[in-house]
C-alpha cells in the first residue's frame, strides 16, 4: 500500500499501546505513537494524521482536554478508547466531537471495523454527493436532499417533516454516533422531559417505514443509552 493512512495512537499504557499499534500496522496503517497529551498535540499538528485513536486516561491531562483542543482546530476523526464503562463518559466524548468510542478490552476485528468505518465516512464526507443539494446513498437507501425525498430501492418512503429531518441529520454524520441530546437539540431546538420518548417514537416510525425486518442490516443503529448512528456496515 503506497498511500497509507496515518493514525496517531495516544495511549500511556505500554501493553495496550503495543497491542493496538500492532493491530493497526498489521492492517496496513502507518502508526505514530504518543503517551501524553502534550506529545499528542504536537504530533497532531506536525503530522496531520487521518485519524486519532485516543485513550481518555492520560498521565498529564484528561484525554477529553486533548479532544477539545483537536476539535478547536480540525475535523480529524477521533476514536476514543475508554476503560470506563460509564455511559456518561462516552456521551461526553461524543458530544465533544469524538466520532466513535470503544470500551477496553476489545478485539482486533471489532476495533479495525470501527477504524475503517470512521476513515471511510470522514473521507466521503468531503465528497459533494453528500452535501446538501446532492444525494446520499447507503446500500438501497437514497436521500435526495434538494427534493427532501427518501427512497429504499425504487420505493419512495413517505416521511413526516420531523422524520425526514432526523434521517437527513443522521446521514450528514453517517458513521458517527449522534447522542440523543445532540439529535434533540438539532431537531427540536430545546430538550424537555418528553424529548427522548418523542425521538424514540419518531425513530420507530422511520424504521417501520424503511421496512427493515429483524435480523436484516438496518440503516440506523441504536447505540443503547447513547444515541443513534447511520451506518454503512
Ligand atoms: Ca491510560
Amino acid at each position: 500500500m503506497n498511500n497509507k493512512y496515518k493514525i496517531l495512537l495516544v495511549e500511556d499504557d505500554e501493553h495496550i499501546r503495543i497491542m493496538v499499534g500492532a493491530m493497526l500496522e498489521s492492517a496496513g496503517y502507518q502508526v505514530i505513537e504518543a503517551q501524553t497529551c502534550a506529545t499528542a498535540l504536537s504530533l497532531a499538528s506536525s503530522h496531520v494524521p487521518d485519524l486519532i485513536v485516543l485513550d481518555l486516561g492520560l498521565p498529564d491531562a484528561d484525554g477529553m482536554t486533548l479532544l477539545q483542543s483537536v476539535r478547536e482546530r480540525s475535523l480529524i476523526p477521533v476514536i476514543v478508547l475508554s476503560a470506563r464503562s460509564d455511559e456518561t463518559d462516552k456521551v461526553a466524548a461524543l458530544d465533544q466531537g469524538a466520532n466513535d468510542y470503544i470500551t477496553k478490552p476489545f478485539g482486533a476485528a471489532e476495533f479495525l471495523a470501527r477504524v475503517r468505518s470512521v476513515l471511510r465516512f470522514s473521507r466521503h464526507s468531503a465528497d459533494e454527493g453528500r452535501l446538501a443539494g446532492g444525494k446520499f446513498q447507503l446500500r438501497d437507501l437514497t436521500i435526495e436532499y434538494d427534493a427532501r425525498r427518501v427512497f429504499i430501492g425504487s420505493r419512495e418512503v413517505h416521511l413526516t417533516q420531523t422524520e425526514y429531518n432526523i434521517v437527513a441529520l443522521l446521514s450528514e454524520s453517517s458513521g458517527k454516533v449522534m447522542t440523543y441530546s445532540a439529535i434533540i437539540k438539532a431537531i427540536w431546538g430545546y430538550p424537555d422531559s418528553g424529548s427522548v420518548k418523542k425521538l424514540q417514537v419518531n425513530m420507530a416510525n422511520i424504521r417501520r417505514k424503511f421496512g427493515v425486518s429483524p435480523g436484516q442490516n438496518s440503516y440506523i443503529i441504536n447505540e443503547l443509552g447513547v444515541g443513534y448512528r447511520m451506518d454503512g456496515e
Side-chain angles (χ1 to χ4, degrees):
M1 210 184 291
N2 294 321
N3 191 12
K4 285 186 178 180
Y5 280 112
K6 205 187 298 174
I7 299 181
L8 173 59
L9 171 59
V10 190
E11 169 64 84
D12 60 316
D13 182 310
E14 191 182 3
H15 174 72
I16 297 176
R17 198 176 60 249
I18 289 171
M19 183 191 70
V20 174
M23 285 179 189
L24 290 169
E25 277 168 358
S26 71
Y29 300 109
Q30 182 192 342
V31 182
I32 313 160
E33 295 182 1
Q35 303 176 33
T36 63
C37 270
T39 313
L41 261 186
S42 87
L43 288 178
S45 45
S46 59
H47 283 73
V48 196
D50 298 295
L51 169 69
I52 300 175
V53 175
L54 174 65
D55 173 39
L56 284 184
L58 294 169
D60 57 335
D62 194 288
M64 291 290 283
T65 316
L66 178 63
L67 177 57
Q68 277 169 19
S69 317
V70 167
R71 267 300 156 270
E72 278 164 16
R73 58 189 90 174
S74 78
L75 288 172
I76 298 172
V78 175
I79 296 178
V80 163
L81 301 181
S82 177
R84 316 165 194 183
S85 53
D86 191 348
E87 304 282 77
T88 56
D89 280 338
K90 296 173 185 172
V91 172
L94 293 166
D95 278 340
Q96 277 310 331
N99 297 64
D100 206 349
Y101 63 83
I102 190 162
T103 306
K104 298 179 215 173
F106 48 83
E110 186 193 1
F111 174 65
L112 291 172
R114 306 241 178 164
V115 167
R116 278 196 305 276
S117 170
V118 166
L119 284 172
R120 185 175 63 239
F121 284 113
S122 72
R123 194 179 26 165
H124 288 179
S125 63
D127 290 354
E128 62 179 43
R130 293 171 58 81
L131 298 178
K135 263 190 193 181
F136 172 86
Q137 188 80 51
L138 174 60
R139 300 193 300 276
D140 284 346
L141 170 67
T142 306
I143 304 173
E144 295 181 3
Y145 292 121
D146 259 356
R148 294 174 63 85
R149 295 173 80 186
V150 175
F151 298 85
I152 300 285
S154 57
R155 173 177 68 89
E156 180 160 11
V157 182
H158 297 283
L159 299 174
T160 65
Q161 195 160 336
T162 301
E163 289 161 4
Y164 173 83
N165 288 341
I166 293 170
V167 170
L169 177 72
L170 289 172
S171 75
E172 283 158 12
S173 308
S174 79
K176 175 172 155 49
V177 183
M178 291 204 74
T179 62
Y180 299 129
S181 74
I183 299 171
I184 288 163
K185 230 182 283 173
I187 300 296
W188 289 287
Y190 59 91
D192 63 43
S193 58
S195 294
V196 172
K197 183 74 200 158
K198 197 158 58 172
L199 175 59
Q200 287 169 339
V201 169
N202 275 280
M203 212 52 97
N205 290 335
I206 291 166
R207 283 160 187 261
R208 184 174 45 77
K209 290 179 180 181
F210 277 9
V212 176
S213 39
Q216 228 180 316
N217 264 353
S218 62
Y219 299 98
I220 298 170
I221 293 158
N222 187 4
E223 301 282 351
L224 283 177
V226 179
Y228 292 97
R229 169 216 311 264
M230 186 171 281
D231 208 352
E233 287 197 299

